[in-house]
Amino acid sequence: MRTLFRNARIYTHRDMGAPLRGDEHSAFTVYDPGAFVVREGIIEWIGPDTAGGGIDDDPDTIVDLGGRCVVPGFVDPHTHLCFAATRENEFQMRLAGADYMQIHREGGGIMSSVRSLRAATRETLLKRTLMGLKRSLSFGVTTVEIKTGYGLTTEAELRQLEVIAQAAKQVPQDVVPTFLGAHSIPEEFRDRRDHFVDLVVEEMLPAAADAGIARYCDVFTEEGVFTVAESERILTRARELGMELKAHVDEIVNLGGAAMAARMKCVSAEHLIAADDDGLSEMAEAGTIAVVLPGTSFSIRKPFARARRMIELGVPLALATDCNPGSCYTESIPFIVTLAVMQMGVPLEAALAAVTINAAYAIGMAESTGTLEGGKQADFIVLEGESPAIIPYHAGVNPVEEVYKKGVRLI
Ligand code: NIG
Ligand code: FE
Protein backbone atom coordinates (compact mmCIF):
# COMPACT_ATOMS: atom_id res chain seq x y z
CA MET A 1 0.00 0.00 0.00
CA ARG A 2 1.67 3.22 -1.22
CA THR A 3 0.30 6.68 -0.43
CA LEU A 4 1.39 9.73 -2.37
CA PHE A 5 1.18 13.00 -0.43
CA ARG A 6 1.41 15.88 -2.86
CA ASN A 7 0.99 19.59 -3.36
CA ALA A 8 2.79 20.61 -0.15
CA ARG A 9 5.44 23.19 0.73
CA ILE A 10 7.93 20.90 2.44
CA TYR A 11 10.61 22.24 4.81
CA THR A 12 13.08 19.76 6.24
CA HIS A 13 16.69 19.53 7.33
CA ARG A 14 18.88 16.72 6.10
CA ASP A 15 20.25 14.15 8.47
CA MET A 16 24.02 14.40 8.12
CA GLY A 17 24.64 11.32 10.29
CA ALA A 18 25.36 13.46 13.37
CA PRO A 19 23.63 16.35 15.17
CA LEU A 20 23.73 19.58 13.13
CA ARG A 21 26.21 22.27 14.17
CA GLY A 22 27.00 25.88 13.25
CA ASP A 23 25.62 26.89 9.86
CA GLU A 24 24.19 23.40 9.33
CA HIS A 25 21.41 24.43 11.73
CA SER A 26 20.10 26.86 9.13
CA ALA A 27 20.36 24.65 6.04
CA PHE A 28 16.78 23.90 5.08
CA THR A 29 15.80 21.80 2.10
CA VAL A 30 12.60 23.19 0.58
CA TYR A 31 10.38 21.41 -1.93
CA ASP A 32 7.76 23.86 -3.16
CA PRO A 33 5.68 22.24 -4.39
CA GLY A 34 6.84 18.94 -2.96
CA ALA A 35 5.55 15.41 -2.69
CA PHE A 36 6.43 12.18 -0.92
CA VAL A 37 5.47 8.54 -1.01
CA VAL A 38 4.82 6.55 2.16
CA ARG A 39 4.85 2.78 2.29
CA GLU A 40 4.19 0.88 5.55
CA GLY A 41 4.76 4.07 7.56
CA ILE A 42 8.14 4.78 5.98
CA ILE A 43 9.03 7.52 3.51
CA GLU A 44 9.99 5.76 0.30
CA TRP A 45 10.65 8.83 -1.81
CA ILE A 46 10.51 12.61 -1.38
CA GLY A 47 11.08 15.31 -3.98
CA PRO A 48 9.60 18.00 -6.16
CA ASP A 49 5.97 17.64 -7.16
CA THR A 50 6.62 17.86 -10.89
CA ALA A 51 6.10 15.40 -13.70
CA GLY A 52 9.35 13.66 -14.53
CA GLY A 53 10.83 14.60 -11.15
CA GLY A 54 10.64 11.05 -9.82
CA ILE A 55 7.11 11.33 -8.51
CA ASP A 56 5.26 8.02 -8.24
CA ASP A 57 2.52 8.00 -10.87
CA ASP A 58 0.84 4.82 -9.68
CA PRO A 59 0.21 5.02 -5.93
CA ASP A 60 -2.68 3.26 -4.20
CA THR A 61 -3.90 6.52 -2.64
CA ILE A 62 -3.25 10.20 -3.28
CA VAL A 63 -3.56 12.85 -0.57
CA ASP A 64 -3.56 16.46 -1.80
CA LEU A 65 -2.25 18.70 0.97
CA GLY A 66 -3.59 21.81 -0.69
CA GLY A 67 -0.33 23.77 -0.92
CA ARG A 68 0.08 23.89 2.85
CA CYS A 69 3.33 23.79 4.79
CA VAL A 70 4.71 20.41 5.92
CA VAL A 71 7.52 19.95 8.45
CA PRO A 72 8.82 16.90 10.34
CA GLY A 73 6.84 15.93 13.45
CA PHE A 74 8.29 17.76 16.44
CA VAL A 75 10.52 15.92 18.89
CA ASP A 76 10.33 17.08 22.52
CA PRO A 77 13.56 15.75 24.08
CA HIS A 78 13.07 16.88 27.70
CA THR A 79 9.85 16.58 29.69
CA HIS A 80 8.68 15.60 33.15
CA LEU A 81 5.18 14.74 31.89
CA CYS A 82 4.60 11.92 34.36
CA PHE A 83 3.37 13.74 37.46
CA ALA A 84 0.35 13.42 39.72
CA ALA A 85 -0.73 17.01 40.36
CA THR A 86 -0.12 20.57 39.19
CA ARG A 87 1.40 23.28 41.45
CA GLU A 88 -0.63 26.36 40.65
CA ASN A 89 -0.23 27.60 44.20
CA GLU A 90 3.55 27.85 43.71
CA PHE A 91 3.10 29.66 40.44
CA GLN A 92 1.00 32.20 42.27
CA MET A 93 3.69 32.48 44.95
CA ARG A 94 6.19 33.23 42.17
CA LEU A 95 3.85 35.83 40.72
CA ALA A 96 3.88 37.43 44.15
CA GLY A 97 7.70 37.53 44.12
CA ALA A 98 8.84 34.16 45.53
CA ASP A 99 11.89 32.57 43.92
CA TYR A 100 11.80 29.07 42.33
CA MET A 101 14.86 27.73 44.20
CA GLN A 102 13.73 29.37 47.47
CA ILE A 103 10.45 27.43 47.24
CA HIS A 104 12.53 24.31 46.58
CA ARG A 105 14.76 24.94 49.63
CA GLU A 106 11.69 25.37 51.82
CA GLY A 107 10.42 21.91 50.93
CA GLY A 108 8.02 22.83 48.13
CA GLY A 109 8.95 22.58 44.45
CA ILE A 110 10.08 19.14 43.33
CA MET A 111 9.30 17.74 46.83
CA SER A 112 5.71 18.85 46.49
CA SER A 113 5.43 16.75 43.31
CA VAL A 114 7.19 13.88 45.09
CA ARG A 115 4.58 13.92 47.86
CA SER A 116 1.66 13.94 45.42
CA LEU A 117 3.18 11.20 43.25
CA ARG A 118 3.93 8.92 46.21
CA ALA A 119 0.33 9.28 47.35
CA ALA A 120 -1.19 8.77 43.88
CA THR A 121 -2.54 5.53 42.49
CA ARG A 122 -1.08 4.11 39.31
CA GLU A 123 -4.38 4.91 37.56
CA THR A 124 -4.26 8.59 38.51
CA LEU A 125 -0.67 8.86 37.40
CA LEU A 126 -1.36 7.08 34.12
CA LYS A 127 -4.38 9.25 33.43
CA ARG A 128 -2.43 12.44 34.05
CA THR A 129 0.48 11.26 31.88
CA LEU A 130 -1.86 10.33 29.02
CA MET A 131 -3.47 13.76 29.29
CA GLY A 132 -0.10 15.44 28.86
CA LEU A 133 0.81 13.20 25.92
CA LYS A 134 -2.50 13.96 24.22
CA ARG A 135 -1.94 17.68 24.55
CA SER A 136 1.64 17.33 23.38
CA LEU A 137 0.42 15.53 20.24
CA SER A 138 -2.01 18.35 19.52
CA PHE A 139 1.02 20.66 19.25
CA GLY A 140 2.64 18.38 16.67
CA VAL A 141 4.94 16.39 18.97
CA THR A 142 5.27 12.89 17.52
CA THR A 143 8.26 11.77 19.63
CA VAL A 144 8.77 12.65 23.28
CA GLU A 145 11.10 11.94 26.17
CA ILE A 146 9.71 11.59 29.72
CA LYS A 147 11.79 11.58 32.91
CA THR A 148 11.10 10.06 36.30
CA GLY A 149 12.28 11.95 39.39
CA TYR A 150 9.09 12.54 41.35
CA GLY A 151 9.32 9.25 43.25
CA LEU A 152 12.78 9.33 44.88
CA THR A 153 12.35 5.91 46.46
CA THR A 154 13.22 2.75 44.57
CA GLU A 155 9.60 1.65 44.58
CA ALA A 156 8.16 5.01 43.48
CA GLU A 157 10.80 5.58 40.80
CA LEU A 158 10.11 2.12 39.37
CA ARG A 159 6.38 2.78 39.51
CA GLN A 160 6.96 5.97 37.54
CA LEU A 161 9.03 4.10 34.95
CA GLU A 162 6.31 1.47 34.62
CA VAL A 163 3.61 4.09 34.18
CA ILE A 164 5.68 5.78 31.48
CA ALA A 165 6.08 2.40 29.73
CA GLN A 166 2.35 1.72 30.07
CA ALA A 167 1.46 5.18 28.70
CA ALA A 168 3.86 4.61 25.80
CA LYS A 169 1.85 1.55 24.76
CA GLN A 170 -1.39 3.53 24.70
CA VAL A 171 -0.32 6.52 22.60
CA PRO A 172 0.75 6.85 18.97
CA GLN A 173 3.89 8.84 19.80
CA ASP A 174 7.29 7.24 20.31
CA VAL A 175 8.09 7.74 24.01
CA VAL A 176 11.66 7.61 25.35
CA PRO A 177 11.92 7.05 29.14
CA THR A 178 14.73 8.57 31.23
CA PHE A 179 15.58 7.64 34.82
CA LEU A 180 16.06 10.73 37.00
CA GLY A 181 16.21 9.25 40.49
CA ALA A 182 18.76 11.95 41.37
CA HIS A 183 16.33 14.84 40.85
CA SER A 184 16.42 16.13 44.43
CA ILE A 185 17.52 15.06 47.89
CA PRO A 186 14.22 13.93 49.46
CA GLU A 187 13.33 15.47 52.82
CA GLU A 188 13.82 12.22 54.72
CA PHE A 189 17.51 12.31 53.64
CA ARG A 190 18.04 16.02 54.27
CA ASP A 191 20.60 15.48 57.04
CA ARG A 192 22.30 12.48 55.43
CA ARG A 193 22.55 13.31 51.76
CA ASP A 194 25.41 10.86 51.25
CA HIS A 195 23.02 8.05 52.12
CA PHE A 196 20.66 9.14 49.37
CA VAL A 197 23.46 9.16 46.78
CA ASP A 198 24.40 5.67 48.04
CA LEU A 199 20.79 4.59 47.62
CA VAL A 200 20.68 5.88 44.04
CA VAL A 201 23.96 4.17 43.16
CA GLU A 202 23.53 0.90 45.04
CA GLU A 203 19.81 0.23 44.80
CA MET A 204 17.80 2.51 42.50
CA LEU A 205 20.07 2.39 39.47
CA PRO A 206 20.50 -1.41 39.47
CA ALA A 207 16.72 -1.80 39.91
CA ALA A 208 16.02 0.66 37.10
CA ALA A 209 18.54 -1.11 34.86
CA ASP A 210 16.91 -4.47 35.66
CA ALA A 211 13.49 -3.11 34.71
CA GLY A 212 15.00 -2.39 31.29
CA ILE A 213 12.72 0.57 30.61
CA ALA A 214 14.96 3.62 30.84
CA ARG A 215 17.35 4.27 28.00
CA TYR A 216 18.94 7.29 29.71
CA CYS A 217 20.01 8.32 33.18
CA ASP A 218 19.80 12.01 34.06
CA VAL A 219 20.85 13.96 37.16
CA PHE A 220 20.07 17.48 38.47
CA THR A 221 23.48 19.07 39.07
CA GLU A 222 22.81 22.36 40.85
CA GLU A 223 23.70 24.31 43.96
CA GLY A 224 21.67 22.81 46.80
CA VAL A 225 20.82 19.71 44.77
CA PHE A 226 23.60 17.35 43.52
CA THR A 227 27.25 18.41 43.39
CA VAL A 228 29.45 17.76 40.37
CA ALA A 229 31.24 14.95 42.27
CA GLU A 230 27.96 13.28 43.28
CA SER A 231 26.65 13.62 39.72
CA GLU A 232 29.78 12.01 38.30
CA ARG A 233 29.45 9.11 40.70
CA ILE A 234 25.80 8.56 39.74
CA LEU A 235 26.42 8.89 36.01
CA THR A 236 29.44 6.59 36.14
CA ARG A 237 27.36 3.86 37.76
CA ALA A 238 24.55 4.38 35.25
CA ARG A 239 26.98 3.92 32.40
CA GLU A 240 28.34 0.73 33.95
CA LEU A 241 24.75 -0.53 34.04
CA GLY A 242 24.29 0.15 30.34
CA MET A 243 22.42 3.45 30.33
CA GLU A 244 23.31 6.48 28.23
CA LEU A 245 23.75 9.77 30.03
CA LYS A 246 22.13 13.19 30.30
CA ALA A 247 22.42 15.93 32.89
CA HIS A 248 20.49 19.02 34.03
CA VAL A 249 23.38 21.46 34.47
CA ASP A 250 24.21 25.12 35.09
CA GLU A 251 20.53 26.05 35.25
CA ILE A 252 20.72 28.67 38.01
CA VAL A 253 24.35 28.58 39.22
CA ASN A 254 27.39 27.73 37.11
CA LEU A 255 28.94 24.75 38.90
CA GLY A 256 30.95 23.68 35.87
CA GLY A 257 28.18 21.28 34.93
CA ALA A 258 28.55 21.79 31.18
CA ALA A 259 32.19 20.70 31.39
CA MET A 260 31.20 17.77 33.61
CA ALA A 261 28.59 16.65 31.04
CA ALA A 262 31.23 16.86 28.30
CA ARG A 263 33.77 14.96 30.39
CA MET A 264 31.22 12.25 31.16
CA LYS A 265 30.40 11.98 27.44
CA CYS A 266 26.76 12.76 28.13
CA VAL A 267 24.59 12.67 25.02
CA SER A 268 23.12 15.98 26.14
CA ALA A 269 23.41 18.70 28.76
CA GLU A 270 20.19 20.48 29.56
CA HIS A 271 19.19 24.01 30.75
CA LEU A 272 22.63 25.74 30.60
CA ILE A 273 21.34 29.23 31.46
CA ALA A 274 24.47 29.94 33.51
CA ALA A 275 26.98 27.94 31.40
CA ASP A 276 30.13 29.85 30.41
CA ASP A 277 32.11 29.75 27.17
CA ASP A 278 34.66 27.30 28.58
CA GLY A 279 31.95 24.79 29.48
CA LEU A 280 30.22 25.23 26.14
CA SER A 281 33.50 24.81 24.25
CA GLU A 282 34.08 21.54 26.05
CA MET A 283 30.61 20.43 25.01
CA ALA A 284 31.39 21.36 21.40
CA GLU A 285 34.59 19.32 21.60
CA ALA A 286 32.79 16.29 23.04
CA GLY A 287 29.78 16.59 20.72
CA THR A 288 27.41 16.98 23.68
CA ILE A 289 24.06 18.36 22.54
CA ALA A 290 22.69 21.44 24.36
CA VAL A 291 19.02 20.95 25.22
CA VAL A 292 17.85 24.50 25.88
CA LEU A 293 14.57 25.18 27.69
CA PRO A 294 13.35 28.73 27.08
CA GLY A 295 9.90 28.02 28.54
CA THR A 296 11.59 27.50 31.91
CA SER A 297 13.40 30.85 31.73
CA PHE A 298 10.06 32.43 30.82
CA SER A 299 8.15 30.72 33.62
CA ILE A 300 10.65 31.20 36.45
CA ARG A 301 11.70 34.62 35.13
CA LYS A 302 15.38 33.87 34.59
CA PRO A 303 17.64 34.89 31.70
CA PHE A 304 17.48 32.85 28.51
CA ALA A 305 20.35 30.46 27.80
CA ARG A 306 22.85 31.77 25.23
CA ALA A 307 21.66 29.64 22.33
CA ARG A 308 23.23 31.76 19.59
CA ARG A 309 26.58 31.58 21.32
CA MET A 310 26.20 27.79 21.52
CA ILE A 311 25.69 27.67 17.75
CA GLU A 312 28.73 29.95 17.23
CA LEU A 313 30.88 27.72 19.42
CA GLY A 314 29.88 24.59 17.50
CA VAL A 315 27.52 23.07 20.06
CA PRO A 316 24.56 21.24 18.48
CA LEU A 317 21.35 22.93 19.67
CA ALA A 318 18.11 21.22 20.65
CA LEU A 319 15.08 22.86 22.25
CA ALA A 320 12.46 21.28 24.51
CA THR A 321 9.45 22.19 26.62
CA ASP A 322 10.74 20.84 29.98
CA CYS A 323 6.99 20.36 30.58
CA ASN A 324 6.61 19.87 34.34
CA PRO A 325 4.26 21.10 37.06
CA GLY A 326 6.83 23.47 38.57
CA SER A 327 9.35 25.40 36.52
CA CYS A 328 7.53 25.27 33.17
CA TYR A 329 4.04 23.98 32.55
CA THR A 330 3.58 23.85 28.79
CA GLU A 331 3.36 21.04 26.24
CA SER A 332 3.67 23.49 23.35
CA ILE A 333 6.72 23.18 21.11
CA PRO A 334 5.38 26.04 18.92
CA PHE A 335 5.57 28.27 22.03
CA ILE A 336 9.17 27.15 22.61
CA VAL A 337 10.08 27.92 18.99
CA THR A 338 8.45 31.34 19.36
CA LEU A 339 10.50 32.13 22.47
CA ALA A 340 13.71 30.92 20.82
CA VAL A 341 13.16 33.03 17.73
CA MET A 342 11.74 36.15 19.36
CA GLN A 343 13.57 36.28 22.69
CA MET A 344 16.84 34.43 22.09
CA GLY A 345 17.60 35.52 18.52
CA VAL A 346 17.79 31.94 17.26
CA PRO A 347 17.26 31.89 13.47
CA LEU A 348 13.94 30.25 12.57
CA GLU A 349 15.63 27.48 10.56
CA ALA A 350 17.92 26.69 13.50
CA ALA A 351 14.98 26.62 15.90
CA LEU A 352 13.30 24.09 13.60
CA ALA A 353 16.45 21.94 13.53
CA ALA A 354 16.47 22.15 17.33
CA VAL A 355 12.96 20.70 17.66
CA THR A 356 13.35 18.06 14.94
CA ILE A 357 16.63 16.43 13.94
CA ASN A 358 18.86 17.64 16.79
CA ALA A 359 16.12 16.87 19.31
CA ALA A 360 15.89 13.37 17.79
CA TYR A 361 19.66 12.92 18.22
CA ALA A 362 19.36 14.07 21.85
CA ILE A 363 17.11 11.07 22.61
CA GLY A 364 18.58 8.51 20.25
CA MET A 365 15.70 8.62 17.76
CA ALA A 366 17.38 10.13 14.70
CA GLU A 367 17.50 6.85 12.84
CA SER A 368 13.74 6.83 12.52
CA THR A 369 12.58 10.44 12.76
CA GLY A 370 13.57 14.13 12.78
CA THR A 371 13.78 14.76 9.02
CA LEU A 372 11.63 13.99 6.00
CA GLU A 373 13.91 11.74 3.97
CA GLY A 374 13.73 8.35 2.34
CA GLY A 375 13.98 5.56 4.92
CA LYS A 376 12.67 7.57 7.89
CA GLN A 377 9.24 7.23 9.47
CA ALA A 378 6.58 9.42 7.89
CA ASP A 379 6.20 11.54 11.04
CA PHE A 380 5.05 14.93 9.81
CA ILE A 381 2.76 17.81 10.54
CA VAL A 382 0.79 20.20 8.40
CA LEU A 383 0.99 23.80 9.53
CA GLU A 384 -1.38 26.61 8.87
CA GLY A 385 0.34 29.14 6.60
CA GLU A 386 2.97 29.17 3.89
CA SER A 387 6.14 28.51 5.84
CA PRO A 388 7.33 27.64 9.36
CA ALA A 389 7.46 31.40 10.02
CA ILE A 390 3.79 31.01 10.85
CA ILE A 391 4.89 29.61 14.23
CA PRO A 392 6.29 32.82 15.77
CA TYR A 393 4.18 35.00 13.45
CA HIS A 394 0.81 33.63 14.62
CA ALA A 395 2.11 33.74 18.16
CA GLY A 396 0.30 32.08 21.01
CA VAL A 397 -1.95 30.15 18.65
CA ASN A 398 -1.55 26.48 17.75
CA PRO A 399 -0.47 26.47 14.09
CA VAL A 400 -0.65 22.66 13.79
CA GLU A 401 -3.56 21.60 11.56
CA GLU A 402 -2.78 17.94 10.96
CA VAL A 403 -0.49 15.40 12.63
CA TYR A 404 0.74 12.16 11.03
CA LYS A 405 2.71 9.41 12.74
CA LYS A 406 4.16 6.67 10.51
CA GLY A 407 1.96 7.94 7.72
CA VAL A 408 -1.27 7.65 9.73
CA ARG A 409 -3.29 10.79 10.28
CA LEU A 410 -3.97 11.29 14.00
CA ILE A 411 -5.28 14.87 14.00
O1 NIG B 1 13.99 20.68 34.58
N1 NIG B 1 15.46 21.60 37.12
C1 NIG B 1 15.05 20.56 37.59
N2 NIG B 1 13.95 19.88 37.32
C2 NIG B 1 12.85 20.38 36.56
C3 NIG B 1 11.85 21.05 37.40
C4 NIG B 1 11.03 20.14 38.17
C5 NIG B 1 9.99 20.77 39.02
O2 NIG B 1 10.03 21.97 39.41
O3 NIG B 1 9.09 20.00 39.32
C6 NIG B 1 13.35 21.24 35.44
O4 NIG B 1 13.10 22.45 35.37
FE1 FE C 1 13.87 19.30 33.46
Side-chain angles (χ1 to χ4, degrees), residues 78-80 147 180 183 218 248 270-271 293 322 324 327:
H78 178 144
T79 84
H80 307 253
K147 302 174 194 294
L180 178 55
H183 194 195
D218 197 342
H248 282 61
E270 335 234 328
H271 284 290
L293 310 163
D322 194 19
N324 74 78
S327 63

Side-chain angles (χ1 to χ4, degrees), residues 303-374:
F304 289 101
R306 297 180 306 140
R308 281 171 60 129
R309 184 72 182 138
M310 293 171 190
I311 293 175
E312 272 169 29
L313 289 170
V315 181
L317 178 72
L319 289 159
T321 61
D322 194 19
C323 186
N324 74 78
S327 63
C328 183
Y329 186 36
T330 182
E331 294 89 350
S332 173
I333 283 287
F335 173 55
I336 299 304
V337 169
T338 301
L339 287 176
V341 171
M342 303 305 290
Q343 299 294 313
M344 306 170 84
V346 175
L348 175 66
E349 295 83 354
L352 258 291
V355 295
T356 56
I357 184 62
N358 279 7
Y361 271 107
I363 54 172
M365 295 300 283
E367 250 175 54
S368 55
T369 198
T371 59
L372 299 176
E373 293 179 278

Side-chain angles (χ1 to χ4, degrees), residues 12-339:
T12 180
H13 287 81
R14 278 189 208 281
D15 187 342
M16 323 266 282
L20 303 181
R21 298 182 188 230
D23 292 344
E24 292 168 0
H25 283 98
S26 292
F28 252 160
T29 299
V30 183
Y31 303 106
D32 182 15
F36 51 101
V37 174
V38 177
R39 184 194 196 118
E40 311 293 341
I42 303 293
I43 300 171
E44 208 175 57
W45 172 89
I46 183 161
D49 189 346
T50 46
I55 198 165
D56 188 329
D57 49 16
D58 188 28
D60 299 293
T61 321
I62 299 178
V63 178
D64 187 324
L65 291 169
R68 289 174 301 164
C69 169
V70 167
V71 295
F74 296 139
V75 179
D76 190 347
H78 178 144
T79 84
H80 307 253
L81 268 179
C82 182
F83 58 86
T86 54
R87 301 191 331 239
E88 257 176 83
N89 58 327
E90 281 179 15
F91 184 74
Q92 292 193 33
M93 284 162 68
R94 295 210 303 273
L95 287 183
D99 176 71
Y100 174 71
M101 284 310 279
Q102 186 59 31
I103 296 172
H104 175 86
R105 278 192 291 276
E106 288 166 3
I110 293 171
M111 272 323 290
S112 157
S113 288
V114 169
R115 285 188 289 272
S116 59
L117 185 133
R118 285 180 183 173
T121 62
R122 244 168 226 267
E123 290 66 38
T124 311
L125 194 54
L126 178 64
K127 208 166 133 195
R128 191 63 247 184
T129 307
L130 290 171
M131 225 169 90
L133 285 166
K134 188 171 172 197
R135 210 169 252 148
S136 168
L137 186 71
S138 75
F139 288 110
V141 175
T142 49
T143 304
V144 56
E145 185 251 23
I146 307 181
K147 302 174 194 294
T148 68
Y150 292 134
L152 308 188
T153 62
T154 306
E155 181 280 323
E157 284 292 313
L158 282 185
R159 177 151 46 98
Q160 219 184 338
L161 275 179
E162 284 159 15
V163 168
I164 295 169
Q166 213 177 334
K169 288 196 189 117
Q170 296 182 28
V171 297
Q173 294 104 311
D174 285 313
V175 176
V176 177
T178 293
F179 174 76
L180 178 55
H183 194 195
S184 186
I185 305 278
E187 50 211 355
E188 60 274 20
F189 283 90
R190 195 165 258 189
D191 302 321
R192 43 186 191 116
R193 54 179 301 125
D194 289 356
H195 289 85
F196 184 69
V197 179
D198 290 345
L199 182 76
V200 172
V201 167
E202 287 160 20
E203 191 181 293
M204 278 192 206
L205 272 171
D210 267 358
I213 297 169
R215 171 164 188 169
Y216 294 96
C217 174
D218 197 342
V219 54
F220 187 14
T221 312
E222 182 61 51
E223 190 174 87
V225 194
F226 294 93
T227 64
V228 167
E230 288 166 345
S231 304
E232 280 186 318
R233 185 176 161 214
I234 291 163
L235 293 174
T236 302
R237 183 75 185 120
R239 169 163 293 133
E240 283 166 10
L241 290 162
M243 292 183 203
E244 292 177 75
L245 311 181
K246 294 177 164 291
H248 282 61
V249 296
D250 300 341
E251 176 179 357
I252 315 283
V253 179
N254 180 2
L255 294 183
M260 183 275 291
R263 212 164 45 240
M264 292 301 297
K265 297 273 177 285
C266 287
V267 173
S268 60
E270 335 234 328
H271 284 290
L272 300 162
I273 293 173
D276 58 24
D277 278 10
D278 287 348
L280 295 176
S281 300
E282 292 196 36
M283 283 174 58
E285 180 94 356
T288 307
I289 300 168
V291 177
V292 167
L293 310 163
T296 309
S297 298
F298 170 84
S299 180
I300 63 173
R301 292 174 160 156
K302 296 287 177 202
F304 289 101
R306 297 180 306 140
R308 281 171 60 129
R309 184 72 182 138
M310 293 171 190
I311 293 175
E312 272 169 29
L313 289 170
V315 181
L317 178 72
L319 289 159
T321 61
D322 194 19
C323 186
N324 74 78
S327 63
C328 183
Y329 186 36
T330 182
E331 294 89 350
S332 173
I333 283 287
F335 173 55
I336 299 304
V337 169
T338 301
L339 287 176

